[in-house]
Amino acid sequence: MLTRYMDGCFGMGKFATPLTRGVDCPYLATYVDWHFLLESQAPRTLHDAFCVFEQNKGLPLRRHHSDFISQYFGGVVETVLVFRSVLTLFNYDYVLDVIFHPSGAIQVKFHATGYISSAFFFGTAQKYGNQVRENTLGTVHTHSAHYKVDLDVGGTTP
C-alpha cells in the first residue's frame, strides 16, 4: 500500500503498529503477525499487526414474528468478518478495516484518530484554523484515503 503524504510517497504498510487487545480489536480476536522484507536485507516481523474478528452489526439481517393463524418467529443476526490494521504516521493513527458481509459485499473503512495537528496561536492565525486552547491553533487540513482495487482475481479472460 502506498500513500502520498506531505508531497512524498512511501508505503503506509511499514508504519503498521502492533494492535492492543481490547482497544484496537476485541480481546478475543485472532491476532496475526506480519512478516515482511522492506528496506532491509533480512525479513522483519511485526507481532499482532492484524486482527480478525466477527462483529454483530446490531440490526437483524432478516426477521419476522407472526402471531396471525400460526405463531412463529424467524430471524438472522447480521454478523460480519472484520480484518483490521492500524498505521501510525506522525501524530495520526489510521484504523483500516476490510469488512466481509454475508451477502458477499466487501466494505472498506478508514478512520483517522490520534492527536490534532496544532500550531502556536498568534495574530491572524485564525485564518488557518480554529483556536482550541488559549495559545493553540488547530490547523485546517484534510485526510483523504484512496484505494485501488484489482478485481481480476481469476485473470482477465472471460
Side-chain angles (χ1 to χ4, degrees), residues 57-151:
K57 296 304 289 178
L59 286 173
L61 183 62
R62 174 186 62 74
R63 76 167 306 281
H64 181 69
H65 183 90
S66 175
D67 59 359
F68 182 71
I69 303 174
S70 61
Q71 307 204 336
Y72 63 91
F73 171 80
V76 176
V77 174
E78 183 176 13
T79 303
V80 296
L81 184 69
V82 180
F83 182 82
R84 177 175 290 166
S85 183
V86 177
L87 314 169
T88 300
L89 295 166
F90 306 111
N91 56 313
Y92 296 111
D93 288 42
Y94 299 98
V95 180
L96 301 173
D97 286 349
V98 179
I99 303 166
F100 299 91
H101 292 265
S103 65
I106 300 173
Q107 178 182 15
V108 178
K109 285 188 174 180
F110 171 84
H111 308 274
T113 182
Y115 297 97
I116 67 168
S117 177
S118 62
F120 184 72
F121 183 82
F122 67 96
T124 61
Q126 205 147 6
K127 292 190 304 189
Y128 306 102
N130 296 303
Q131 187 173 2
V132 293
R133 294 285 293 183
E134 182 181 350
N135 297 310
T136 308
L137 176 77
T139 57
V140 172
H141 62 285
T142 23
H143 296 249
S144 298
H146 302 273
Y147 296 90
K148 178 182 177 185
V149 179
D150 183 0
L151 296 178

Side-chain angles (χ1 to χ4, degrees), residues 20-35:
T20 303
R21 291 178 188 273
V23 176
D24 295 321
C25 304
Y27 191 81
L28 295 176
T30 298
Y31 291 80
V32 180
D33 295 342
W34 181 34
H35 307 283

